[in-house]
Amino acid sequence: MTKTNIILDCDPGHDDAIALLLSCYSEKLNLLAVATCAGNQTIDKTSRNALNLLNFFNKSDVPLAKGSSHPLEREIQTCPEIHGESGLDGFTFPLYKEKYDYRKGYQLIIDTLLENEDVTVITTGPMTNLALAILHNPKITKNIKEIVLMGGSTTEGNITKAAEFNILVDPEAANICFTSGVPLRMLGLNVTRQILVTDEVIEKANAIHTRGSDLFVKLMKVFNENQRNFFGLSAGPLHDPATIVSLINEDVFEFEDMNVTIDISHSDQAGKTICSKEKLPHNVKVATKVNVGLYWEEIYKHLRRCK
Ligand code: RIB
Ligand code: CA
C-alpha cells in the first residue's frame, strides 16, 4: 500500500499531540517532517512539546524545526487557559535531549517539498510557517498535493464570535494559503465541536492500557477541565486529529466544495472564514458532516498501536 507523504505543522497543544500520535502510528502515512509554530503556547514551549512527543512516539529521527514565534503582521496570541503554562499540561515526559533541525520551520517545509513529490501539508495551528514557505519559494505549491487544515468554521468562531483561533491568530497567513491555488481541505469548528472527549471516551481509552492511552487519558483530563472552566463546555472538542483521521479513513467526514475567503480586516470580523457554495471559485473542500463513532474508533485503534 502506497503511503501518503505528509508534513505536520502544529502548535502542541493537547489536540495537536493526538494528531501527532496518529501521524506517527498510521500505516497509511509517511511523516516526512514536523514544524512548530507559536499558537497554543510560545514557540519554545510548542517546540519542546513536539520534541517530547516525537521522542515518546519513538520518532526522534523525523526532522523537527522550530517555526515562527509570531504571526506575519499581528501580535502573538496564546491559549494557556486551555493548554496550560507548558502548552501540554497533564503529562510529564522523560528528559529527552533537545535536538532541533538547523533550519527554520518554513525552510524545512520548503526543502521537504522540493525533495519529495505529492506531499500533503497538514496545519493544526496558525498557518504562518506554510505562508512563509510559499512567500519565500512560490514554486513549492506544485509539490503540494493538498493542504489539510484544522481551522475556521462555517458557523461561529471560538475565540471571537466570528473567528476560530488558528485563523484569528494569523489571518494574513491563512489568506496566503487560501489564495495559493493549492487544493485545500478545511476541518472547522462546525464539525470538530461535535467530537467531544466525554467521560465515556476517556473510560474506553483508559481500558486500552498502552503508553499511548496513558498519555491520552492524562492529557485529556486536564484538557477537559480547562475547556469546562474557560469555555463552559461539558467536554473538550478534539479538534486537530480530524485532519489526520480525514486522510486515513474517508468514511468519517463528508465535504462540500465551497468558496472560502478570509477576513483580514482589523474589525470584530477579523479571521472569519467566509464560506459560500454559490460564489466561485470553489477553492476549498469544507467538512460539513462527521461520523463521531467512526472518529473515535480511529483514535482508539492508534492508541492501541502506541505500546
Ligand atoms: O480552535 C482550535 C484550534 O486552536 C486547535 O488547533 C487548537 O490546538 C488550537 O490550536
Ligand atoms: Ca492546534
Side-chain angles (χ1 to χ4, degrees):
M1 165 187 44
T2 317
K3 292 193 174 189
T4 301
N5 283 334
I6 65 169
I7 294 169
L8 178 62
D9 190 275
C10 54
D11 62 338
H14 290 68
D15 50 338
D16 303 74
I18 308 309
L20 187 52
L21 185 149
L22 268 67
S23 304
C24 292
Y25 287 92
S26 170
E27 294 161 346
K28 297 182 178 179
L29 303 176
N30 178 25
L31 181 61
L32 296 172
V34 177
T36 53
C37 57
N40 285 325
Q41 257 297 356
T42 59
I43 187 65
D44 287 342
K45 293 179 178 179
T46 58
S47 302
R48 180 77 232 199
N49 293 335
L51 182 132
N52 284 340
L53 289 161
L54 281 171
N55 277 277
F56 187 77
F57 300 146
N58 299 315
K59 288 280 185 177
S60 56
D61 58 317
V62 174
L64 165 65
K66 280 188 174 184
S68 188
S69 59
H70 54 80
L72 294 182
E73 295 178 13
R74 302 184 192 224
E75 291 301 311
I76 180 64
Q77 296 181 59
T78 57
C79 199
E81 302 83 358
I82 297 298
H83 301 277
E85 203 35 51
S86 72
L88 203 58
D89 282 11
F91 192 83
T92 306
F93 292 92
L95 203 56
Y96 297 117
K97 187 165 165 298
E98 210 159 1
K99 186 173 75 65
Y100 299 105
D101 190 281
Y102 67 95
R103 291 163 284 190
K104 280 192 172 294
Y106 77 83
Q107 192 58 55
L108 177 60
I109 292 171
I110 290 171
D111 294 347
T112 305
L113 287 170
L114 293 178
E115 289 155 17
N116 299 275
E117 289 191 348
D118 261 355
V119 180
T120 298
V121 178
I122 298 154
T123 64
T124 60
M127 304 179 83
T128 314
N129 293 328
L130 182 52
L132 284 169
I134 293 170
L135 289 173
H136 278 83
N137 190 337
K139 287 200 320 296
I140 59 169
T141 53
K142 66 174 178 39
N143 286 36
I144 306 176
K145 180 180 178 185
E146 188 176 35
I147 296 169
V148 181
L149 70 128
M150 189 281 139
S153 173
T154 60
T155 53
E156 290 191 343
N158 55 357
I159 305 299
T160 66
K161 198 166 169 48
E164 177 278 325
F165 180 79
N166 289 339
I167 308 297
L168 177 66
V169 169
D170 200 340
E172 284 73 19
N175 188 46
I176 288 167
C177 296
F178 275 63
T179 55
S180 66
V182 175
L184 281 139
R185 193 180 294 271
M186 179 179 114
L187 294 107
L189 295 175
N190 51 294
V191 288
T192 64
R193 275 185 147 173
Q194 298 174 50
I195 307 164
L196 300 177
V197 186
T198 61
D199 292 344
E200 184 197 356
V201 164
I202 291 184
E203 274 160 43
K204 283 188 175 176
N206 206 31
I208 293 174
H209 300 303
T210 59
R211 291 186 318 122
S213 64
D214 179 51
L215 173 83
F216 178 90
V217 168
K218 285 176 179 163
L219 286 179
M220 292 302 116
K221 283 183 174 171
V222 169
F223 184 63
N224 268 353
E225 186 60 28
N226 293 342
Q227 292 275 356
R228 273 192 280 271
N229 295 338
F230 188 63
F231 284 122
L233 295 175
S234 59
L238 200 66
H239 305 284
D240 291 336
T243 55
I244 312 299
V245 171
S246 76
L247 285 174
I248 58 183
N249 183 338
E250 60 186 22
D251 297 333
V252 179
F253 292 95
E254 286 183 29
F255 293 87
E256 292 186 50
D257 291 333
M258 295 189 194
N259 174 272
V260 181
T261 55
I262 310 294
D263 185 309
I264 53 172
S265 71
H266 286 264
S267 74
D268 62 1
Q269 298 302 297
K272 183 178 175 67
T273 47
I274 305 148
C275 303
S276 164
K277 285 186 250 185
E278 293 67 39
K279 272 180 67 181
L280 292 174
H282 284 173
N283 55 329
V284 187
K285 289 189 179 307
V286 178
T288 52
K289 284 191 185 137
V290 55
N291 179 323
V292 176
L294 271 184
Y295 183 96
W296 288 118
E297 287 314 311
E298 285 297 336
I299 300 291
Y300 302 140
K301 185 195 299 181
H302 292 82
L303 295 183
R304 285 187 203 100
R305 289 182 183 159
C306 181
K307 295 189 169 67

